[in-house]
Amino acid sequence: YEIRLSLVGSEMCIRDRVSTQSTGEPKMRVVYCAVVVLLSLQLFCNADKDAAGYRIEGLIKADDYNRMKVYVYGDSGVFTAFVRQDGTFTVYDVPSGAYQLEVHSVKWTFGSYRVDISARYNGKVKARLATDNTQFVPYPLEIQPLSPAIYFEKRESFNPLSLLESPMTLMMILTVLMLVFFPKLGALDPEMMKELQKSEAQKKEVSKVSALKQS
């Protein structure tokens, strides 16, 4: 739009100059056209500067920068930059606005940051944690890894106490305790003891059948 306006202004100036030379009118129109052209050029320069964008810089403190990359997500698009071998990075041509910065690595996991770029203050950058918008961090950014990247789940080791969580195990332990301690108490007669042993035998058969069904 600015280029079209400047071209129109230039055409008006040429026409006014021709008309002024031919008719002898005042030169105020020529001055007016020159002002329009200058304003158009200034607007075009400002738009070109804003399109070029600003920079986001920082330092990552890690022991391995192989295939490490910085991603900046926002309404204006996605901007990326590789991390140098000294840990520094620079994301170029980022327009003003609010963005989310993430670091991708094959070895480490990093936290996310919210980055605000102000066009009013000539590209001033403010950064804060994405999980807490009230906690600002110094700029240029200094990012440290949170933990090593884990791609496989660790197999849990065998825990003998986990057997106690099974109802069948608890039933067997209770049965053994009853068989061991009840005869010593002498509180049961022989007939009741037989019935108790019979019921326990039935429970064992039911447990065996259920185990066979599960297998």
Side-chain angles (χ1 to χ4, degrees), residues 160-177 207:
L161 297 178
S162 62
L163 296 176
L164 298 177
E165 299 177 358
S166 174
M168 299 301 297
T169 304
L170 295 176
M171 188 180 298
M172 292 176 62
I173 293 175
L174 182 60
T175 302
V176 171
L177 292 177
S207 63

Side-chain angles (χ1 to χ4, degrees), residues 145-157:
L146 299 178
S147 62
I150 300 175
Y151 298 97
F152 302 97
E153 294 185 359
K154 186 178 180 180
R155 179 178 295 180
E156 296 182 358
S157 59

